[in-house]
Coordinates of all heavy atoms in Angstrom, one line a residue:
M1 N 221.3 -71.5 169.5 CA 220.7 -71.9 170.8 C 219.8 -73.1 170.6 O 218.9 -73.2 169.7 CB 219.8 -70.7 171.4 CG 219.7 -70.8 172.8 SD 218.9 -69.3 173.4 CE 217.1 -69.5 173.0
R2 N 220.0 -74.0 171.5 CA 219.2 -75.3 171.4 C 218.1 -75.3 172.4 O 218.3 -75.1 173.6 CB 220.2 -76.4 171.6 CG 219.6 -77.8 171.2 CD 220.8 -78.8 171.1 NE 220.0 -80.1 170.9 CZ 220.2 -81.0 171.9 NH1 220.8 -80.7 173.0 NH2 219.5 -82.2 171.8
K3 N 217.0 -75.5 171.8 CA 215.8 -75.5 172.7 C 215.3 -76.9 173.1 O 215.4 -77.7 172.1 CB 214.6 -74.7 172.0 CG 213.6 -74.0 172.8 CD 212.5 -73.3 172.2 CE 211.4 -73.1 173.1 NZ 210.1 -73.2 172.5
A4 N 215.1 -77.1 174.2 CA 214.6 -78.5 174.6 C 213.2 -78.8 174.0 O 212.5 -77.9 173.9 CB 214.5 -78.6 176.1
K5 N 213.2 -80.0 173.6 CA 211.9 -80.4 172.9 C 210.7 -80.5 173.9 O 210.9 -81.2 174.8 CB 212.1 -81.6 172.1 CG 211.2 -81.8 171.0 CD 211.6 -83.1 170.2 CE 210.3 -83.5 169.4 NZ 210.4 -85.0 169.1
E6 N 209.7 -79.8 173.5 CA 208.5 -80.0 174.4 C 207.7 -81.2 174.0 O 207.7 -81.7 172.9 CB 207.6 -78.8 174.2 CG 206.5 -78.7 175.2 CD 205.6 -77.5 174.9 OE1 206.1 -76.4 174.9 OE2 204.4 -77.7 175.1
V7 N 207.4 -82.0 175.0 CA 206.7 -83.2 174.9 C 205.2 -83.1 174.9 O 204.7 -82.6 175.9 CB 207.2 -84.3 175.9 CG1 206.7 -85.7 175.4 CG2 208.7 -84.3 176.0
A8 N 204.6 -83.5 173.8 CA 203.1 -83.3 173.8 C 202.5 -84.4 174.6 O 202.9 -85.6 174.6 CB 202.6 -83.3 172.3
G9 N 201.4 -84.1 175.2 CA 200.6 -85.2 175.9 C 201.2 -85.6 177.2 O 200.7 -86.6 177.8
R10 N 202.1 -84.9 177.7 CA 202.7 -85.3 179.0 C 202.2 -84.3 180.1 O 202.0 -83.2 179.8 CB 204.2 -85.1 178.9 CG 205.0 -85.8 180.1 CD 206.2 -86.3 179.7 NE 206.2 -87.4 178.8 CZ 207.1 -88.0 178.1 NH1 208.3 -87.4 178.1 NH2 207.0 -89.0 177.4
K11 N 202.0 -84.9 181.2 CA 201.4 -84.1 182.3 C 202.2 -84.2 183.5 O 202.8 -85.2 183.9 CB 200.0 -84.8 182.6 CG 199.1 -83.7 183.2 CD 197.7 -84.3 183.2 CE 196.8 -83.6 184.2 NZ 195.6 -84.3 184.5
C12 N 202.5 -83.0 184.1 CA 203.3 -82.9 185.2 C 202.5 -83.4 186.5 O 201.4 -83.0 186.8 CB 203.7 -81.5 185.5 SG 204.6 -81.2 187.1
P13 N 203.1 -84.5 187.2 CA 202.2 -85.0 188.2 C 202.3 -84.0 189.5 O 201.6 -84.2 190.4 CB 203.1 -86.2 188.6 CG 204.6 -86.0 188.1 CD 204.3 -85.1 187.0
I14 N 203.1 -82.9 189.5 CA 203.2 -82.1 190.6 C 202.3 -80.9 190.4 O 201.5 -80.6 191.3 CB 204.7 -81.6 190.7 CG1 205.7 -82.7 191.0 CG2 204.9 -80.5 191.9 CD1 207.0 -82.8 190.2
C15 N 202.3 -80.3 189.3 CA 201.4 -79.1 189.1 C 200.2 -79.4 188.3 O 199.3 -78.7 188.1 CB 202.2 -77.9 188.6 SG 202.7 -78.1 186.9
G16 N 200.3 -80.6 187.5 CA 199.2 -81.0 186.7 C 199.0 -80.4 185.3 O 198.2 -80.6 184.6
K17 N 200.1 -79.6 185.0 CA 200.1 -78.9 183.6 C 200.6 -79.8 182.6 O 201.4 -80.6 182.9 CB 200.9 -77.6 183.8 CG 200.4 -76.6 184.8 CD 200.3 -75.2 184.2 CE 199.5 -74.3 185.0 NZ 200.3 -73.4 185.9
S18 N 200.0 -79.6 181.4 CA 200.6 -80.5 180.3 C 201.4 -79.6 179.4 O 201.9 -80.2 178.4 CB 199.4 -81.1 179.6 OG 198.4 -80.1 179.2
K19 N 201.6 -78.4 179.7 CA 202.4 -77.6 178.8 C 203.8 -77.5 179.4 O 204.0 -77.7 180.6 CB 201.8 -76.1 178.7 CG 200.9 -76.0 177.5 CD 200.6 -74.6 177.2 CE 200.0 -74.4 175.8 NZ 199.8 -73.0 175.5
N20 N 204.8 -77.2 178.5 CA 206.2 -77.0 178.9 C 206.7 -78.2 179.6 O 207.6 -78.1 180.5 CB 206.3 -75.7 179.9 CG 205.8 -74.5 179.1 OD1 206.1 -74.3 178.0 ND2 205.1 -73.6 179.9
Q21 N 206.4 -79.4 179.2 CA 207.0 -80.7 179.7 C 208.2 -81.1 178.7 O 207.8 -81.2 177.5 CB 206.0 -81.7 179.8 CG 204.7 -81.3 180.6 CD 205.1 -80.8 182.0 OE1 205.8 -81.5 182.7 NE2 204.6 -79.7 182.4
V22 N 209.4 -81.2 179.2 CA 210.4 -81.6 178.3 C 211.1 -82.8 178.8 O 211.1 -83.1 179.9 CB 211.5 -80.4 178.1 CG1 210.9 -79.2 177.6 CG2 212.1 -80.0 179.4
N23 N 211.7 -83.5 177.9 CA 212.5 -84.8 178.2 C 213.8 -84.3 178.9 O 214.4 -83.4 178.4 CB 212.8 -85.5 177.0 CG 211.7 -86.4 176.5 OD1 210.8 -86.8 177.3 ND2 211.6 -86.7 175.3
A24 N 214.1 -84.9 179.9 CA 215.4 -84.6 180.7 C 216.4 -85.8 180.8 O 216.9 -85.9 181.7 CB 215.1 -83.9 182.0
G25 N 216.4 -86.6 179.8 CA 217.3 -87.7 179.8 C 216.6 -88.9 180.6 O 215.4 -88.9 180.9
K26 N 217.5 -89.8 181.0 CA 217.1 -91.0 181.7 C 217.9 -91.2 183.0 O 219.0 -90.8 183.0 CB 217.2 -92.3 180.8 CG 216.2 -92.2 179.7 CD 216.2 -93.4 178.8 CE 215.3 -93.3 177.7 NZ 215.3 -94.3 176.6
N27 N 217.3 -91.7 183.9 CA 217.9 -92.1 185.2 C 218.7 -93.4 185.0 O 218.6 -94.1 183.9 CB 216.9 -92.1 186.4 CG 216.0 -93.2 186.4 OD1 216.1 -94.1 185.6 ND2 215.1 -93.1 187.3
R28 N 219.3 -93.8 186.1 CA 220.2 -95.0 186.0 C 219.5 -96.3 185.5 O 220.0 -97.2 184.9 CB 221.0 -95.2 187.2 CG 222.3 -94.7 187.3 CD 223.0 -94.9 188.6 NE 222.6 -94.0 189.5 CZ 222.8 -94.0 190.8 NH1 223.4 -95.0 191.3 NH2 222.4 -93.0 191.6
S29 N 218.3 -96.4 185.9 CA 217.5 -97.6 185.6 C 216.9 -97.5 184.2 O 216.1 -98.4 183.8 CB 216.5 -98.0 186.7 OG 215.6 -96.9 186.9
G30 N 217.0 -96.4 183.6 CA 216.5 -96.3 182.2 C 215.2 -95.7 182.1 O 214.5 -95.7 181.1
T31 N 214.7 -95.2 183.2 CA 213.4 -94.6 183.2 C 213.5 -93.2 182.7 O 214.4 -92.4 183.0 CB 212.7 -94.5 184.7 OG1 212.9 -95.8 185.2 CG2 211.4 -94.1 184.7
Q32 N 212.5 -92.8 181.8 CA 212.5 -91.5 181.2 C 212.3 -90.4 182.3 O 211.3 -90.6 183.1 CB 211.4 -91.4 180.1 CG 211.3 -90.1 179.5 CD 212.5 -89.7 178.6 OE1 212.9 -90.6 177.7 NE2 213.1 -88.6 178.9
K33 N 213.2 -89.5 182.3 CA 213.0 -88.4 183.2 C 212.4 -87.2 182.4 O 212.9 -86.9 181.3 CB 214.3 -88.0 183.8 CG 214.4 -88.2 185.3 CD 215.8 -88.2 185.8 CE 216.5 -86.8 185.7 NZ 217.8 -86.8 186.3
C34 N 211.6 -86.4 183.1 CA 211.0 -85.1 182.5 C 211.2 -84.0 183.4 O 211.4 -84.1 184.6 CB 209.5 -85.4 182.3 SG 209.3 -86.8 181.1
F35 N 211.2 -82.8 182.8 CA 211.2 -81.6 183.5 C 210.1 -80.8 183.3 O 209.7 -80.6 182.2 CB 212.6 -80.9 183.2 CG 212.8 -79.7 183.9 CD1 213.1 -79.7 185.2 CD2 212.7 -78.5 183.2 CE1 213.3 -78.5 185.9 CE2 212.9 -77.2 183.9 CZ 213.3 -77.3 185.2
C36 N 209.5 -80.3 184.3 CA 208.3 -79.4 184.2 C 208.9 -77.9 184.2 O 209.4 -77.5 185.2 CB 207.3 -79.6 185.2 SG 205.9 -78.4 185.2
N37 N 208.8 -77.3 183.1 CA 209.2 -75.9 183.1 C 208.3 -74.9 183.8 O 208.6 -73.8 184.0 CB 209.3 -75.3 181.6 CG 210.7 -75.5 181.1 OD1 211.7 -75.2 181.7 ND2 210.8 -75.9 179.8
D38 N 207.2 -75.4 184.2 CA 206.2 -74.5 184.9 C 206.6 -74.5 186.5 O 206.6 -73.4 187.1 CB 204.9 -75.2 184.7 CG 203.9 -74.0 184.5 OD1 203.9 -73.4 183.5 OD2 203.1 -73.7 185.5
C39 N 206.7 -75.7 187.1 CA 207.1 -75.7 188.5 C 208.6 -76.0 188.7 O 208.9 -76.1 189.8 CB 206.2 -76.6 189.3 SG 206.3 -78.4 188.8
K40 N 209.3 -76.1 187.6 CA 210.7 -76.3 187.7 C 211.1 -77.6 188.5 O 212.0 -77.5 189.4 CB 211.4 -75.1 188.2 CG 211.1 -73.7 187.7 CD 211.8 -73.6 186.3 CE 211.4 -72.3 185.7 NZ 211.5 -72.4 184.2
K41 N 210.4 -78.7 188.2 CA 210.7 -79.8 189.0 C 211.0 -81.0 188.0 O 210.4 -81.1 187.0 CB 209.5 -80.2 189.9 CG 209.4 -79.2 191.1 CD 209.5 -79.9 192.4 CE 209.6 -78.9 193.5 NZ 208.4 -78.1 193.8
Y42 N 211.8 -82.0 188.5 CA 212.0 -83.1 187.7 C 211.1 -84.3 188.2 O 210.7 -84.4 189.3 CB 213.4 -83.6 187.9 CG 214.5 -82.8 187.1 CD1 215.1 -81.9 187.7 CD2 214.6 -83.1 185.7 CE1 216.0 -81.0 187.0 CE2 215.6 -82.4 185.1 CZ 216.3 -81.3 185.7 OH 217.2 -80.5 185.0
Y43 N 210.6 -85.1 187.2 CA 209.8 -86.2 187.6 C 210.1 -87.4 186.6 O 210.6 -87.2 185.6 CB 208.4 -85.9 187.7 CG 207.8 -85.5 186.4 CD1 207.1 -86.3 185.6 CD2 207.8 -84.1 186.0 CE1 206.6 -86.0 184.3 CE2 207.2 -83.6 184.8 CZ 206.6 -84.6 183.9 OH 206.1 -84.2 182.8
T44 N 209.8 -88.6 187.1 CA 210.1 -89.7 186.2 C 208.7 -90.3 185.8 O 207.7 -90.2 186.5 CB 210.9 -90.8 186.9 OG1 210.2 -91.1 188.1 CG2 212.3 -90.3 187.1
L45 N 208.7 -90.9 184.7 CA 207.5 -91.6 184.2 C 207.5 -93.0 184.6 O 208.6 -93.6 184.7 CB 207.4 -91.5 182.7 CG 207.3 -90.1 182.0 CD1 207.3 -90.3 180.5 CD2 206.0 -89.5 182.4
N46 N 206.4 -93.5 184.9 CA 206.3 -95.0 185.2 C 206.4 -95.7 183.9 O 205.6 -95.5 183.0 CB 205.0 -95.3 185.9 CG 205.0 -96.6 186.5 OD1 205.8 -97.4 186.2 ND2 203.9 -96.8 187.3
P47 N 207.5 -96.5 183.7 CA 207.7 -97.2 182.4 C 206.5 -98.2 182.2 O 206.3 -98.6 181.1 CB 209.0 -97.8 182.6 CG 209.2 -98.0 184.0 CD 208.5 -96.9 184.7
K48 N 206.0 -98.7 183.2 CA 204.9 -99.8 183.0 C 203.7 -99.2 182.6 O 203.3 -98.1 183.1 CB 204.8 -100.6 184.4 CG 206.0 -101.5 184.6 CD 205.6 -102.5 185.6 CE 206.7 -103.5 185.9 NZ 206.6 -104.3 187.0
T49 N 202.9 -99.9 181.7 CA 201.6 -99.4 181.4 C 200.7 -99.6 182.6 O 200.8 -100.5 183.4 CB 201.1 -100.3 180.2 OG1 201.2 -101.6 180.5 CG2 201.8 -99.8 178.9
R50 N 199.7 -98.7 182.7 CA 198.9 -98.8 183.8 C 198.1 -100.0 183.9 O 197.4 -100.4 183.0 CB 197.9 -97.5 183.6 CG 198.3 -96.4 184.7 CD 197.2 -95.3 184.6 NE 197.4 -94.7 183.4 CZ 196.5 -93.8 182.9 NH1 195.4 -93.6 183.7 NH2 196.7 -93.2 181.8
E51 N 198.2 -100.6 185.0 CA 197.4 -101.9 185.3 C 196.2 -101.5 186.1 O 196.2 -100.7 187.1 CB 198.2 -102.8 186.1 CG 199.1 -103.7 185.1 CD 198.2 -104.8 184.3 OE1 197.2 -105.3 184.9 OE2 198.6 -105.1 183.2
Y52 N 195.1 -102.1 185.7 CA 193.9 -101.9 186.5 C 193.7 -103.0 187.5 O 193.9 -104.1 187.2 CB 192.7 -101.7 185.6 CG 192.8 -100.5 184.6 CD1 193.3 -100.7 183.4 CD2 192.6 -99.1 185.1 CE1 193.5 -99.5 182.6 CE2 192.7 -98.1 184.3 CZ 193.1 -98.3 183.1 OH 193.2 -97.2 182.3
P53 N 193.1 -102.8 188.6 CA 192.9 -103.8 189.6 C 192.0 -104.8 189.1 O 191.0 -104.5 188.3 CB 192.3 -103.0 190.8 CG 192.4 -101.6 190.6 CD 192.7 -101.4 189.1
E54 N 192.2 -106.0 189.5 CA 191.2 -107.1 189.0 C 189.8 -106.9 189.2 O 189.0 -107.2 188.4 CB 191.7 -108.4 189.8 CG 191.1 -109.7 189.5 CD 191.4 -110.0 187.9 OE1 192.4 -109.7 187.5 OE2 190.5 -110.8 187.3
E55 N 189.5 -106.2 190.4 CA 188.2 -106.0 190.7 C 187.5 -105.0 189.5 O 186.3 -105.2 189.2 CB 188.1 -105.2 192.0 CG 186.9 -105.4 192.8 CD 187.0 -104.5 194.0 OE1 187.8 -104.8 194.9 OE2 186.2 -103.5 194.2
I56 N 188.2 -104.1 189.1 CA 187.7 -103.2 188.1 C 187.5 -103.9 186.8 O 186.5 -103.7 186.1 CB 188.7 -101.9 187.9 CG1 189.0 -101.2 189.2 CG2 188.2 -101.0 186.9 CD1 187.9 -100.4 189.7
R57 N 188.4 -104.8 186.5 CA 188.3 -105.5 185.2 C 187.1 -106.4 185.2 O 186.3 -106.5 184.3 CB 189.5 -106.6 185.1 CG 190.8 -105.8 184.7 CD 191.8 -106.8 184.3 NE 193.1 -106.5 184.8 CZ 194.2 -107.1 184.3 NH1 194.1 -108.0 183.4 NH2 195.4 -106.7 184.7
Q58 N 187.0 -107.1 186.5 CA 185.8 -108.0 186.5 C 184.4 -107.2 186.3 O 183.5 -107.6 185.7 CB 185.7 -108.7 187.9 CG 186.9 -109.7 188.0 CD 186.8 -110.8 186.9 OE1 185.8 -111.2 186.4 NE2 188.0 -111.2 186.5
Q59 N 184.5 -106.0 187.0 CA 183.3 -105.1 186.8 C 183.0 -104.7 185.4 O 182.0 -104.7 184.9 CB 183.5 -103.8 187.7 CG 182.9 -104.0 189.0 CD 183.1 -102.7 189.8 OE1 182.9 -101.7 189.3 NE2 183.5 -102.9 191.2
A60 N 184.1 -104.4 184.8 CA 184.0 -103.9 183.3 C 183.5 -105.1 182.5 O 182.6 -104.9 181.6 CB 185.4 -103.4 182.8
I61 N 184.0 -106.3 182.8 CA 183.5 -107.5 182.0 C 182.1 -107.7 182.2 O 181.3 -108.0 181.3 CB 184.5 -108.6 182.3 CG1 185.9 -108.5 181.7 CG2 183.8 -109.9 181.7 CD1 187.0 -109.3 182.3
K62 N 181.7 -107.7 183.4 CA 180.3 -107.8 183.8 C 179.5 -106.8 183.1 O 178.3 -107.2 182.6 CB 180.1 -107.7 185.4 CG 180.1 -109.0 186.0 CD 179.7 -108.8 187.5 CE 180.5 -109.9 188.4 NZ 180.5 -109.4 189.8
T63 N 179.8 -105.6 183.2 CA 179.1 -104.6 182.5 C 178.9 -104.7 181.1 O 177.9 -104.6 180.4 CB 179.8 -103.2 182.7 OG1 180.1 -103.0 184.1 CG2 178.9 -102.0 182.2
F64 N 180.0 -105.3 180.5 CA 180.0 -105.6 179.0 C 178.9 -106.7 178.7 O 178.2 -106.6 177.8 CB 181.4 -106.1 178.5 CG 181.4 -106.5 177.1 CD1 181.5 -105.4 176.1 CD2 181.3 -107.8 176.7 CE1 181.6 -105.8 174.8 CE2 181.4 -108.1 175.3 CZ 181.5 -107.1 174.4
Y65 N 178.9 -107.8 179.5 CA 178.0 -108.8 179.3 C 176.6 -108.5 179.7 O 175.7 -109.2 179.2 CB 178.5 -110.1 180.1 CG 179.6 -110.8 179.4 CD1 180.8 -111.0 180.1 CD2 179.5 -111.2 178.1 CE1 181.9 -111.7 179.4 CE2 180.6 -111.8 177.4 CZ 181.8 -112.1 178.1 OH 182.8 -112.7 177.5
A66 N 176.5 -107.4 180.4 CA 175.1 -107.0 180.7 C 174.5 -106.2 179.6 O 173.4 -105.7 179.7 CB 175.1 -106.1 182.0
G67 N 175.3 -105.9 178.5 CA 174.7 -105.4 177.4 C 175.4 -104.1 176.9 O 175.0 -103.5 176.0
A68 N 176.4 -103.6 177.5 CA 177.0 -102.4 177.2 C 178.0 -102.6 176.1 O 178.5 -103.8 176.0 CB 177.8 -101.8 178.4
S69 N 178.3 -101.7 175.3 CA 179.3 -101.9 174.2 C 180.7 -101.7 174.8 O 180.8 -101.1 175.9 CB 179.1 -100.9 173.1 OG 179.3 -99.6 173.5
G70 N 181.7 -102.2 174.1 CA 183.0 -102.0 174.6 C 183.4 -100.5 174.8 O 184.0 -100.1 175.9
R71 N 182.8 -99.7 174.0 CA 183.1 -98.3 174.0 C 182.3 -97.7 175.2 O 182.9 -96.8 176.0 CB 182.6 -97.6 172.8 CG 183.5 -96.4 172.5 CD 183.1 -95.9 171.1 NE 182.4 -94.6 171.2 CZ 181.6 -94.1 170.3 NH1 181.5 -94.7 169.1 NH2 180.9 -93.0 170.4
G72 N 181.1 -98.2 175.5 CA 180.4 -97.7 176.6 C 181.0 -98.0 177.9 O 181.1 -97.3 178.9
V73 N 181.5 -99.3 178.0 CA 182.2 -99.7 179.2 C 183.4 -98.9 179.4 O 183.6 -98.4 180.6 CB 182.7 -101.2 179.1 CG1 183.5 -101.7 180.3 CG2 181.4 -102.1 178.9
G74 N 184.2 -98.6 178.4 CA 185.4 -97.8 178.5 C 185.0 -96.3 179.0 O 185.8 -95.8 179.9
K75 N 183.9 -95.9 178.5 CA 183.5 -94.6 178.9 C 183.3 -94.5 180.5 O 183.6 -93.6 181.1 CB 182.3 -94.2 178.1 CG 182.5 -92.9 177.3 CD 181.2 -92.5 176.6 CE 181.4 -91.3 175.7 NZ 180.2 -91.1 174.9
V76 N 182.5 -95.5 180.9 CA 182.0 -95.6 182.3 C 183.2 -95.7 183.1 O 183.3 -95.1 184.2 CB 181.0 -96.8 182.5 CG1 180.7 -97.0 184.0 CG2 179.7 -96.5 181.7
F77 N 184.2 -96.6 182.7 CA 185.2 -96.9 183.8 C 186.5 -96.0 183.6 O 187.4 -96.0 184.2 CB 185.6 -98.4 183.7 CG 184.6 -99.3 184.3 CD1 183.5 -99.9 183.5 CD2 184.6 -99.5 185.7 CE1 182.6 -100.6 184.1 CE2 183.6 -100.3 186.2 CZ 182.6 -100.9 185.4
G78 N 186.5 -95.3 182.4 CA 187.6 -94.4 182.1 C 188.8 -95.1 181.4 O 189.9 -94.6 181.7
F79 N 188.7 -96.3 180.7 CA 189.8 -96.7 179.9 C 189.3 -97.0 178.5 O 188.2 -96.9 178.2 CB 190.4 -97.9 180.6 CG 189.4 -98.9 181.3 CD1 188.5 -99.6 180.5 CD2 189.5 -99.0 182.7 CE1 187.6 -100.5 181.3 CE2 188.6 -99.9 183.3 CZ 187.7 -100.6 182.5
S80 N 190.3 -97.4 177.7 CA 190.0 -97.5 176.3 C 189.3 -98.8 176.0 O 189.4 -99.7 176.6 CB 191.3 -97.4 175.5 OG 192.0 -98.6 175.6
K81 N 188.4 -98.8 174.9 CA 187.7 -99.9 174.5 C 188.6 -101.1 174.1 O 188.3 -102.2 174.3 CB 186.8 -99.6 173.4 CG 187.4 -99.2 172.1 CD 186.4 -99.1 171.0 CE 187.0 -98.6 169.7 NZ 186.1 -98.4 168.6
A82 N 189.8 -100.7 173.7 CA 190.9 -101.8 173.3 C 191.1 -102.6 174.6 O 191.2 -103.8 174.5 CB 192.1 -101.2 172.9
N83 N 191.3 -102.0 175.7 CA 191.5 -102.6 177.0 C 190.3 -103.5 177.3 O 190.5 -104.7 177.7 CB 191.5 -101.5 178.1 CG 193.0 -101.2 178.4 OD1 194.0 -101.9 178.1 ND2 193.2 -100.0 179.1
V84 N 189.2 -103.0 177.2 CA 188.0 -103.8 177.5 C 188.0 -105.0 176.6 O 187.7 -106.2 177.2 CB 186.7 -102.9 177.3 CG1 185.5 -103.7 177.6 CG2 186.8 -101.7 178.1
Y85 N 188.1 -104.9 175.4 CA 188.0 -106.0 174.4 C 189.2 -107.0 174.8 O 188.9 -108.2 174.7 CB 188.2 -105.6 173.0 CG 186.9 -105.0 172.5 CD1 186.8 -103.7 171.9 CD2 185.6 -105.7 172.6 CE1 185.7 -103.1 171.5 CE2 184.4 -105.1 172.2 CZ 184.5 -103.9 171.6 OH 183.3 -103.2 171.2
N86 N 190.3 -106.5 175.1 CA 191.5 -107.5 175.5 C 191.0 -108.4 176.7 O 191.2 -109.5 176.7 CB 192.7 -106.6 175.9 CG 193.6 -106.5 174.8 OD1 193.7 -107.4 173.9 ND2 194.3 -105.4 174.7
W87 N 190.5 -107.7 177.7 CA 190.1 -108.5 179.0 C 189.1 -109.5 178.6 O 189.0 -110.6 179.1 CB 189.6 -107.5 180.0 CG 190.6 -106.5 180.4 CD1 192.0 -106.6 180.2 CD2 190.4 -105.2 181.1 NE1 192.6 -105.5 180.7 CE2 191.7 -104.6 181.3 CE3 189.3 -104.6 181.4 CZ2 191.8 -103.4 181.8 CZ3 189.4 -103.3 182.1 CH2 190.7 -102.8 182.3
I88 N 188.1 -109.0 177.8 CA 187.0 -109.9 177.4 C 187.5 -111.2 176.7 O 187.2 -112.3 176.9 CB 185.9 -109.2 176.7 CG1 185.1 -108.3 177.7 CG2 184.9 -110.2 176.0 CD1 184.5 -107.1 177.0
K89 N 188.4 -110.9 175.8 CA 189.1 -112.0 175.0 C 189.8 -112.9 176.0 O 189.6 -114.2 175.8 CB 190.1 -111.4 174.1 CG 189.8 -111.9 172.6 CD 190.5 -111.0 171.6 CE 192.0 -111.3 171.5 NZ 192.7 -110.4 170.6
K90 N 190.6 -112.4 176.9 CA 191.4 -113.2 177.9 C 190.4 -113.9 178.6 O 190.6 -115.1 179.0 CB 192.2 -112.3 178.8 CG 193.6 -112.1 178.2 CD 194.5 -111.4 179.2 CE 195.6 -110.7 178.5 NZ 196.2 -109.7 179.4
N91 N 189.4 -113.3 179.1 CA 188.4 -113.9 180.1 C 187.7 -115.0 179.5 O 187.6 -116.0 180.1 CB 187.4 -112.7 180.5 CG 186.6 -113.1 181.7 OD1 187.1 -113.5 182.8 ND2 185.2 -113.2 181.6
S92 N 187.2 -114.9 178.2 CA 186.5 -116.0 177.7 C 187.4 -117.1 177.2 O 186.9 -118.3 177.3 CB 185.7 -115.5 176.4 OG 186.7 -115.0 175.5
S93 N 188.7 -116.9 177.0 CA 189.6 -118.0 176.6 C 190.0 -118.8 177.9 O 190.3 -120.0 177.8 CB 190.7 -117.6 175.8 OG 191.4 -116.6 176.5
S94 N 190.0 -118.1 178.9 CA 190.6 -118.8 180.2 C 189.5 -119.5 181.0 O 189.7 -120.3 181.8 CB 191.3 -117.7 181.2 OG 190.4 -116.8 181.5
S95 N 188.2 -119.1 180.7 CA 187.2 -119.8 181.5 C 186.6 -121.1 180.8 O 185.6 -121.6 181.2 CB 186.1 -118.8 181.7 OG 185.5 -118.4 180.4
Q96 N 187.3 -121.5 179.8 CA 186.8 -122.8 179.2 C 187.5 -123.9 179.6 O 188.7 -123.8 179.8 CB 186.9 -122.6 177.7 CG 185.7 -121.8 177.1 CD 185.4 -122.1 175.6 OE1 186.2 -122.6 174.9 NE2 184.2 -121.8 175.2
Ligands
ZN1 ZN1 204.8 -79.0 187.0

């Protein structure tokens, strides 16, 4: 008996559970499809990485320059400090 592999760290957008999420192949455009064993629904993952609105980025950069650490900014806005440092790097190189 072959058991579908449970995917760790995946969250069902319908019921919000992160348990019993399995890979269910890909659709025609190559997007990963998943199946929630909890609510018995298929859903697709957004293949693109989450983009944050420009406004949020600017706010985060401002907060950073106001004296917060990258980690602190990430905590406040809810994204990783790597994101924050990336934006700051981009921001400072494009404003010259
Ligand atoms: Zn579900």
Side-chain angles (χ1 to χ4, degrees):
M1 202 172 80
R2 198 161 162 247
K3 211 181 160 210
K5 203 177 158 202
E6 193 178 311
V7 190
R10 191 149 287 165
K11 208 168 158 194
C12 172
I14 298 134
C15 69
K17 297 230 167 98
S18 53
K19 268 197 163 181
N20 300 321
Q21 309 301 310
V22 296
N23 279 335
K26 290 182 178 172
N27 70 11
R28 260 178 283 168
S29 59
T31 310
Q32 178 69 55
K33 242 167 64 176
C34 300
F35 180 71
C36 175
N37 263 321
D38 219 74
C39 62
K40 309 285 178 203
K41 294 243 166 67
Y42 285 97
Y43 61 93
T44 52
L45 294 175
N46 190 349
K48 284 194 176 166
T49 49
R50 250 183 294 166
E51 271 289 326
Y52 295 98
E54 185 62 27
E55 207 183 295
I56 304 286
R57 287 194 217 197
Q58 292 303 325
Q59 262 180 44
I61 290 164
K62 261 187 216 162
T63 309
F64 178 81
Y65 284 121
S69 67
R71 213 173 105 197
V73 175
K75 239 183 183 175
V76 169
F77 290 92
F79 35 68
S80 77
K81 67 174 177 182
N83 267 338
V84 179
Y85 286 126
N86 263 328
W87 298 341
I88 285 153
K89 233 164 75 185
K90 268 189 203 164
N91 193 55
S92 58
S93 58
S94 63
S95 63
Q96 278 206 342

